Amino acid sequence: MSRIGVFVCHCGTNIASVVDPDRLTPAAREMPGVVYAADYRYMCSEPGQQMIKDSISEHGIDRIVIASCSPRMHETTFRKMLKGTSINPYMLEIANIREQCSWVHADKGRATEKAIGLVRMAVSKVSKNEPLYAQSIPITKRALVIGGGIAGIQAALDIADAGHEVVLLEREPSIGGKMAMLDKTFPTLDCSACISTPKMVDVGAHPNIRLMTYCEVESVSGYIGSFEVAIRQKARYVNHDICTGCGLCETKCPVKVDSEFNLGLSKRPAIYKLFPQAVPSKPVIDSESCRMLKDGKCGICAKLCPLGCIDYKDEARTVTESFGAIIMATGYQLVDWAAMYGEYGGGRYRDIISGLQFERTVNAAGPTEGHILRPSDGREPETVVIVKCVGSRDPKKGKSYCSRACCMYAAKHAHQILEKLPGSRVFIFYIDVRTPGKGYEEFYDQTRMDGAVYVRGRISKIYEEDGGLVCQGEDSLLGSQVRVRADMVILETAMEPSQGIEGLTSMLGAARDANNWIQEAHPKLRPVETQVGGVFLAGTCQGPKDIPDTVSQASAAAAKVIGLLNKSEMETSPMISAVERDKCSGCGACVGICPYKAITLQEIDDRLGAKRIKREVASVNSGLCQGCGACTAACRTGALDLLGFRNGQILEEVDALCL
Amino acid sequence: MRYSYFPGCSMESTAKSYRLATEYVMGRIGVELVEIEDWNCCGATSAHTLSAAMGLALPARPLAMAELREPGLDIVTGCASCYARLRLSMHKARSDKAAKYLIENVIAMPYEAKREVYSFLDVLSGEEAAAAIKAKVTRRLTGLKAACYYGCLNVRPAEVTGAPDRENPMAMDRIVGLTGAEAVDWAFKTECCGAAHQNDAASVSRPLVWRILKNAQANGAEAVVTACPMCSLNLEMRQGGYRKHTGLPSMPVFSVLELLAVAMGASARQIALEAHHVPAAKALAAALRRSGGGVAI
C-alpha cells in the first residue's frame, strides 16, 4: 500500500482567497492511501520545501501530491527537492489548483469542491506512479548554424568566442543575408554595411568557425548531442583553395543576368561575387547562365584567371558532419507582391518597387550609387508614395500577421527621400503606426517633422496615367477618397519564411506554425528553442522581427548552445515512450506517426511455441523521444505506453473523478 | 457547339445592336443558342438586396428550366450582371445544401446545377470557337485601338466566377486581337462603373464612368469594347458631361460581338449600328479603310 503525502499551497492569497485550505486539506486526509496532509502559505519557498522533506521522513511517505500552481511553473522545483530525500523525483504529482481553479473561478464553495476533485485525481495517479530514472547521452562539442544572415553570424561568433567549434552554413555564395543589402538601419541611421561587414570578416577569420557557403542541408539524423548532418556543397566551378579573389575573371564574362543582390535593378556576369564585400571574397559560376557550362562555348574566365582556378568539371559533393546542437537562422524573404496585388499593376509598372529594392537604390554601393532615381527613366522622383502593410495584416489576400519592421523602415525611407531630394513630397499610407522599440517613436516623430505626410488608409489601386502613377485610396481620418499622383511608389511588403523551410524543418522534425514560421517550444518561456531537443532558433525564421531583436535572439540561442556544449553529457527526460515487446506486433503504425522520428522497427529473436523466430518490434530512441504520446494513441495492441503517463495512470485519474 | 441561352432583359431592349451582332456572329461560327423556355428576370440588380431567397431563386429558375429541357447543354449568357447572378445560384446550389433546399422550394422544381454557366467571353475564347472566328474574319479592323472593359461582374467574386485574374483579365483582349484591332494595355478593365447608382446618385457615379473612359484614352484607346449590355449602356449613355468635365472627346462603345460581326462582314444596318448614342460607325470605317479593304460599312 502506498503512503501518500498531500501538501496544499495557499500561494499567498492567489489560491487561498478562493479555494478554502481548511476544507481541502482535511478532505485530502480522507483520500485512499493518504497518510499525511498539510497546507502552507508558500510551498515552493525554502521553509515550505523543508516542511515537505521533514514530513517525508517523519511519516514514512513514499510519494507526494502537491496542490499548487501549474506543473509548468514548479514541477521541476519540487523534483529537484525530492532528489535530496528518500523518494524518487518522479513519485510526485502536481494538482493545479491555481491556473485551472482559483484564478478562473469566483464561487469559493464550488471552486473548493473542484480543487478537492483535482487533488483526488492526483492522489489516484500518484498511487500508480513508479520510479523513473534519467539516462545520459554524450554530447558532440560542435554546433551547426544554418543561415549566414546577421542572426547566424551573431550566433556563430558567440558560440565560437566561448571556445566551441561552429560550422556556419549558407546556401548563397556569400554570408551577409538581408542586412548586407540594407542601406541604413533605424532608428540610429547607422550604415548597415559598416556594422555588418566587420562581423562577416570576423566570421571568416575566426579559428573556431568553419564557413560553408553555397551549401545546403541534405539530410539530418540523430538527436540532441549527436546530430549527423549531410551537407551538400554545390558546384562552384572555381577552386577556392587557390583563388585569391582578384576579380579579373568577372571583367570579361559576356553574360549579363539580373543581379539577385540588387533585386533585378542591375545586371551581373555568370561568374560573380554576390557583392563586393562578399565573404568569402571569391566568385562562383552560376551554371544556369554560364555559356561554357550550358553550350560548351566560351571559356573566357578560364583564360583570364592567372592561377588556373576555373574548373568547369567541378561537381557537387556531399559531406556528413557531426554536431551536438543546431541553430536555425534561415531568415525570411519578402512576399511576391506582384502575384498578390493585381490592383497595384501586378508588376507591370517599373516605378513601383519593394522596400528592399529601395534599400539597394539608396545604397551608395547599389546600382544608382545611392541616387534615388526611378527605374523607368532614371529621373529623380518629386512625389513618392509609400504603402505599408502590403501583404501584411491582410488575411484575405496575404498574411494575417504584422511584419513588425516595416513601420520603422517606411519612416526611414521617407526620411532618406526627404533628405536626399530637397523639395520632394512623401505620402505614407498606413493602417497603424507601430513603433515599439528604443528610440523608435522619436524617429517616427522626426520623420513627420521632416515633412512626411502620413495618410491613414489603404491604397486600393495604382495605375499609370499620363506618365505618373495614380494612387487611389482612402483617408479614413477624413472619411474620403484620396488620389495621389506619384512618380515612384515603394511597397513595404510582408515577410514570409524563406523558401525551403518546409523541407528543412521536416528533416529536423521541428514544427511550423500556421504561417510556416518555425514554432518555438513556448512563446514566452522557451522562445529560442524548438520542440526538438538540441535545435534552437535565431532571428526571423521564428517570426518577423527587426535587427536588434534578431541579434538578441541569436545571442540567446548561442547561450543555450554554449550551455549545452559545455557539458560532456546530458540527462534526458525519462518520461518517454516505452515498448512492451511481447505485445508489439511490429505493424509500424507508430513509426509514421512519431513527429520526432524517434521510433524505428528493430529485429529481435523470439520464440513461437518451441520455434525460434526473428520478428520486428518498435524501438524508441530515448534521445529523440520528446514524450508527446502520439504513438501510444496510435498503437493498436497497447504495446506502447508513456512512462509517467501510462494508460493505467490516466484511467485511474478518470475513475477517481467519475466513479 | 450548342448552348442553352439566357438572353436577359437588356438584350430585349437597350442592346439592340448587341443582340443582332450576337445572332450574326453565332450563326457564322456555328454556335447554336437554344433560348431557355419561359426564362425570367435574373433579379439583378435589386432582388438580392431585398431578399436573399429571391436573389438566389430568380436566377435558379431559368437554370432549372434549361437543365430540364436540355439536360446536355451548358448555359450561356451575354450579360455580366446575368452571368454573376446565374453563376452565384449555380455555385450556391452546388456548395450549400441549405441554399439548394431553399431554391428548390421557392421555384418548386428540382435544380441540380449539373451544367456550367458561361459568359460569351468563355464561349468565344474556347479553342474551337477561336478557330472558327479566325476562319470567318473577312475584313480586318486594322489599327483600331480598343480598351477591353470587362466590368466587375464578369470576374468577381473569384470563388463564384473562377476567373484566374480579377485585375487584368485577357480573354476579351485576345478575342479583339482576332479582328485585327489592337487591345491596349490599360488599368481599368474591371473597375466599378457605378451602374447601380447612376439614377439615384449621379454626382457620385458619373465620375466613375469618366475615369474609366479617361484612362482608356490616356492609354491610346479610341473605343471601349464590352462584353455586357449593361456595361455598354453605362459607359455609352452616361457620357453627358464627360467632354465638358475632362476636355476629352467622347468615346464610341462597342460590344465585342459587334466588332466580330463587322470583321465578319456585317453591314452597319445588319447590326443596327445607328442605335448607338455615341456615333460608332466612324471609328470602324476608319479601321476598315486602314486595312486596305475600303469596304463601306
Side-chain angles (χ1 to χ4, degrees), chain A residues 342-343 348 461 463 465 472, chain B residues 185 187 191 211 214-215:
Chain A
E343 62 267 46
R348 283 185 292 158
K461 186 177 178 76
Y463 59 95
E465 203 168 272
Q472 186 177 293
Chain B
D185 184 17
E191 207 67 8
R211 66 178 186 175
K214 183 165 178 281
N215 188 262

Side-chain angles (χ1 to χ4, degrees), chain A residues 368-389:
Chain A
T368 56
E369 294 174 337
H371 298 292
I372 301 172
L373 304 172
R374 328 204 289 176
S376 65
D377 56 7
R379 268 186 30 230
E380 281 185 356
E382 283 167 27
T383 305
V384 178
V385 163
I386 295 177
V387 188
K388 296 207 288 190
C389 303

Side-chain angles (χ1 to χ4, degrees), chain B residues 137-173:
Chain B
V137 168
T138 53
R139 45 184 189 173
R140 296 177 66 78
L141 301 170
T142 306
L144 176 70
K145 291 193 169 179
C148 293
Y149 177 73
Y150 295 72
C152 46
L153 294 173
N154 260 315
V155 289
R156 292 194 187 92
E159 58 271 26
V160 173
T161 64
D165 190 335
R166 272 94 71 204
E167 299 294 339
N168 191 26
M170 290 301 291
M172 201 189 330
D173 292 57

Side-chain angles (χ1 to χ4, degrees), chain B residues 4 11 27-28 31 48-49 51 53 60 73 77 93 115 119 126 137 173 201 203 209 253 268 281 286 292:
Chain B
S4 283
M11 287 290 198
R28 295 300 297 263
V31 173
H48 65 282
T49 58
S51 148
L73 298 188
T77 180
R115 307 308 312 189
S119 69
V137 168
D173 292 57
S203 63
V209 170
V253 180

Side-chain angles (χ1 to χ4, degrees), chain A residues 47 51 77 138 156 171 184 216 260 270 292 318 362 379 412 464 482 507 533 535:
Chain A
M51 184 188 104
T77 313
R171 66 176 165 192
K184 290 195 161 118
E216 276 178 321
E260 293 87 353
M292 190 67 188
T318 301
V362 78
R379 268 186 30 230
K412 182 191 69 178
E464 221 167 47
V482 290
M507 277 183 228
V535 179

Side-chain angles (χ1 to χ4, degrees), chain B residues 40-44 47-48 51-64 67 81-104 107 111-117 157 159-161:
Chain B
N40 55 271
C41 169
C42 73
H48 65 282
S51 148
M54 193 155 63
L56 283 177
L58 272 173
R61 187 183 164 276
L63 294 177
E67 289 194 0
S81 273
C82 300
Y83 175 69
R85 300 314 311 170
L86 295 173
R87 220 171 146 88
L88 181 72
S89 289
M90 176 200 82
H91 174 76
K92 283 281 186 188
R94 284 177 182 178
S95 61
D96 181 343
K97 274 191 185 151
K100 181 172 184 288
Y101 181 80
L102 175 81
I103 288 170
E104 291 183 331
I107 66 175
Y111 175 48
E112 297 299 334
K114 286 195 173 133
R115 307 308 312 189
E116 280 293 312
V117 174
E159 58 271 26
V160 173
T161 64

